[in-house]
Amino acid sequence: MTDKFDVVIVGAGLAGLQMLHEVREAGLTARVLEAGGGAGGTWYWNRYPGARCDVESLEYSYQFSPELQQDWEWTRRYAGRAEIMRYIGHVVDRFDLARDIRFRTRVEAMTYDEPTATWTVRTDGGDEVVARFVIMATGCLSEPNVPDIPGIGTFAGDVLHTGRWPREPVGFAGKRVGVVGTGSSGVQAIPIIAQEAAELVVFQRTPAYTLPAGDEPLDPALQAAIKADYAGFRARNNAMPTAGLSRFPANPNSVFLFSAAEREAIFEHCWNRGGPLLLRAFGDPLVDPAANEVVAEYVRGKIRETVTDPEVAAKLTPTHVIGCKRICLGDGYYETYNRPNVRLADIAAHPFEEVTPTSVRTGEGTYELDVLVFATGYDAITGALSRIDIRGRDGQSLRAAWSAGPRTYLGLGVPGFPNLFTMTGPGSPSVLTNVLVAIHQHATWIGRCLRHLAGTGIRTIEATPEAAEAWGHHVADVAGRTLLPSCGSWYLGANIPGKKRVFMPLAGFPDYAEKCAVIAATGYPGFALA
Ligand code: N01
């Protein structure tokens, strides 16, 4: 069966849903193809215990409808998965989005046809959809990374990944559970699993810097005050480098301008307030290694203070630059290691050797387990794009075009792939910002672009190779002025064996948004329009 639409959107997560709304506003027809059984993207799949957003609810929400943002009432400072899924369901119903979404439909391949200037998109059901434009709203953290440990296929118990958690409830009572990974997902799941499981072994490769989230019921007076001027609140957030947290003014001054006692007081305030404020407490921790070390050492002190066994505390203490991997937010994480049923296995010092039907063996010993949970993250930013066989001009594949690292213009267009847009793609601020703001900016920019093309009779838009080349240098230059590329993070692709190490996101939202706006207002320089 072949259907025809103006636009195909791949993915019905928060990006795909807003994009569908924008495409409709532009007067075009759209079909959204979504692999999951419902809308929500990352929130649909991440059903693991403790899943909660690490961006405050009043910011992690859509801004395209003033009525929606007035009507919706958040209950927590950080919304949990269930609350976010209720919000997504409300948005889908309110804007009648589901009628244009085909669920349980995974896109396998797509091919550009030059004579007709259309894309043919093929699904796992064998159907084809033809469209002039394809918009990839496939998410930055949607393609799970599962380590290849010898014997993993023989394990007789349940093997779970936080990003593909089963729909049916998973019970840990009376079970011996192993969790691999201590990034944001592990840090949230570990304290909850520890409360239920008979025994928990955490397999840690790199300790994370974990700051208290400070989750609490949302103060109704704060919610009302923000709603009284939501537009102003959004505008102030958009002016921040990470497009958020304008409620907590950043201190631009060097950490070294303050005495030890003054620093301590500022750090304590940030720690007790919760959230990632420590990194904004001074102006230089993400650019000066010595300043970074001051902040890192404060967090290390907190770990030593919290964890009662000094050997365990030492293993949990990170040594890398704070902030070069995404900061984890979680309440009660370090305290969990004081529980008698929790053990920490250092797999950097003693790597995995083998999984048997009943155990995991490392260089240090054998752990008998009933359940194995992988909180091992994602083939980030490019993973979901490169698993689809995308063929552009002259049949060239996106995978091949990106074998030396992703090449985009603005993180929105790819040379050789006309009429294809990537949302929150490599080369855009995406994961270095509040991603809902990044989504809003991309969805509105693409919507405006589609209206422009329709109004001028232009058939194709395509990033030029020169513009993409220059943009790649710009992204690298901006990252190179910070400490962000200084450790083996998923921002760099370093968590995936064999993946080319390129710093993929662009730091600094306001400058990026301004550039995109100027490009749209001046006839789309850097894109070939034909
Ligand atoms: O994944 P991660 P995540 N053998 O990649 C380890 C967002 N998010 O799902 O650091 C052994 O951060 C890996 O070790 P190392 C957020 O943006 C947000 O936790 O590579 N271990 C690390 O400890 C976040 O950053 C929220 O050495 C292996 C862990 O597994 C992003 O998603 C909640 C391994 C993976 O950490 C990803 O977070 C959850 C291997 N082969 C996620 N491979 C909130 O909003 C990897 N590891 C709160």
Side-chain angles (χ1 to χ4, degrees):
M1 191 179 82
T2 303
D3 286 330
K4 287 197 168 74
F5 296 90
D6 295 321
V7 181
V8 161
I9 299 166
V10 186
L14 287 157
L17 295 177
Q18 181 170 352
M19 196 65 248
L20 172 58
H21 176 74
E22 299 291 339
V23 168
R24 284 185 184 169
E25 293 287 294
L28 302 174
T29 60
R31 166 60 51 85
V32 182
L33 302 172
E34 165 57 54
T42 197
W43 296 105
Y44 173 85
W45 296 105
N46 278 266
R47 302 187 181 92
Y48 65 84
R52 182 173 292 284
C53 191
D54 60 5
V55 177
E56 298 194 3
S57 319
L58 290 163
E59 300 186 18
Y60 195 86
S61 53
Y62 285 126
Q63 52 185 297
F64 65 82
S65 158
E67 297 78 18
L68 169 68
Q69 68 182 6
Q70 285 302 323
D71 293 350
W72 185 264
E73 289 286 314
W74 293 103
T75 69
R76 308 284 311 179
R77 179 176 175 194
Y78 303 91
R81 175 186 180 268
E83 187 167 9
I84 293 176
M85 285 302 285
R86 279 199 298 281
Y87 175 70
I88 291 170
H90 172 79
V91 171
V92 168
D93 291 346
R94 186 174 180 129
F95 297 96
D96 190 19
L97 299 177
R99 68 182 154 89
D100 288 330
I101 307 174
R102 192 159 348 126
F103 294 109
R104 295 186 185 80
T105 304
R106 184 174 282 283
V107 172
E108 299 273 338
M110 56 179 78
T111 308
Y112 181 68
D113 178 57
E114 207 144 346
T116 56
T118 56
W119 283 91
T120 300
V121 179
R122 272 178 291 280
T123 72
D124 56 355
D127 293 332
E128 289 188 345
V129 186
V130 172
R132 273 187 68 200
F133 301 98
V134 177
I135 302 171
M136 305 303 292
T138 40
C140 292
L141 296 157
S142 46
E143 190 59 29
N145 165 43
V146 181
D148 186 14
I149 309 170
I152 183 70
T154 69
F155 189 68
D158 287 335
V159 178
L160 308 168
H161 189 283
T162 46
R164 286 290 179 275
W165 206 259
R167 289 182 82 95
E168 52 283 358
V170 178
F172 293 109
K175 300 214 168 136
R176 297 162 303 177
V177 183
V179 175
V180 185
T182 52
S184 299
S185 305
V187 158
Q188 289 190 323
I190 285 164
I192 312 284
I193 296 174
Q195 287 168 22
E196 198 188 332
E199 287 174 33
L200 172 64
V201 183
V202 177
F203 297 97
Q204 172 191 269
R205 186 164 73 178
T206 310
Y209 291 96
T210 300
L211 311 181
D215 183 41
E216 59 193 0
L218 186 55
D219 176 2
L222 172 67
Q223 183 153 210
I226 285 176
K227 284 186 174 181
D229 177 26
Y230 227 138
F233 179 65
R234 300 290 194 187
R236 289 189 294 281
N237 283 335
N238 290 352
M240 308 293 285
T242 59
L245 287 173
S246 63
R247 281 198 304 127
F248 305 99
N251 175 2
N253 299 309
S254 167
V255 76
F256 297 113
L257 290 178
F258 297 80
S259 70
E262 286 168 332
R263 281 180 211 157
E264 183 71 10
I266 293 171
F267 286 149
E268 280 294 298
H269 171 76
C270 294
W271 184 269
N272 294 328
R273 192 66 197 83
L277 305 182
L278 266 185
L279 279 182
R280 301 145 33 97
F282 299 99
D284 45 0
L286 280 180
V287 290
D288 174 5
N292 190 281
E293 187 58 19
V294 174
V295 183
E297 196 43 44
Y298 171 79
V299 180
R300 293 177 196 137
K302 285 289 181 191
I303 298 170
R304 289 189 287 267
E305 241 172 59
T306 310
V307 179
T308 49
D309 180 332
E311 267 184 45
V312 177
K315 282 191 208 165
L316 285 167
T317 301
T319 52
H320 57 271
V321 159
I322 185 169
C324 70
K325 292 187 178 207
R326 169 117 174 173
I327 285 286
C328 300
L329 296 187
D331 293 318
Y333 175 67
Y334 293 118
E335 289 82 347
T336 300
Y337 293 91
N338 295 333
R339 296 178 65 101
N341 65 333
V342 176
R343 279 182 292 166
L344 181 64
D346 179 352
I347 50 169
H350 308 284
F352 288 126
E353 291 182 349
E354 192 186 15
V355 178
T356 73
T358 57
S359 69
V360 170
R361 196 176 74 237
T362 74
E364 196 175 26
T366 298
Y367 301 87
E368 297 291 330
L369 297 173
D370 304 307
V371 184
L372 201 44
V373 174
F374 286 106
T376 41
Y378 300 88
D379 180 355
I381 305 181
T382 54
L385 293 167
S386 47
R387 71 159 297 290
I388 301 173
D389 186 14
I390 303 177
R391 303 273 165 173
R393 224 180 255 293
D394 305 322
Q396 71 166 308
S397 88
L398 187 71
R399 250 175 245 153
W402 284 6
S403 59
R407 215 161 61 105
T408 73
Y409 179 43
L410 306 176
L412 281 160
V414 186
F417 296 81
N419 290 358
L420 180 84
F421 295 99
T422 50
M423 293 188 78
T424 66
S428 77
S430 65
V431 291
L432 294 180
T433 62
N434 169 2
V435 80
L436 264 277
V437 176
I439 286 169
H440 180 79
Q441 188 260 337
H442 271 189
T444 51
W445 191 93
I446 295 170
R448 175 178 175 177
C449 178
L450 294 177
R451 274 192 291 271
H452 172 78
L453 299 179
T456 50
I458 293 167
R459 276 199 341 153
T460 60
I461 178 165
E462 179 182 353
T464 67
E466 299 74 28
E469 185 72 20
W471 190 253
H473 291 306
H474 173 63
V475 174
D477 285 351
V478 172
R481 281 181 238 136
T482 73
L483 300 175
L484 286 168
S486 64
C487 60
S489 68
W490 57 256
Y491 298 140
L492 273 167
N495 60 330
I496 303 298
K499 189 167 176 176
K500 183 81 183 164
R501 291 195 184 196
V502 173
F503 194 84
M504 294 179 281
L506 171 67
F509 178 78
D511 185 49
Y512 171 79
E514 171 66 20
K515 280 194 170 70
C516 289
V518 169
I519 286 165
T522 53
Y524 297 91
F527 289 96
L529 307 177

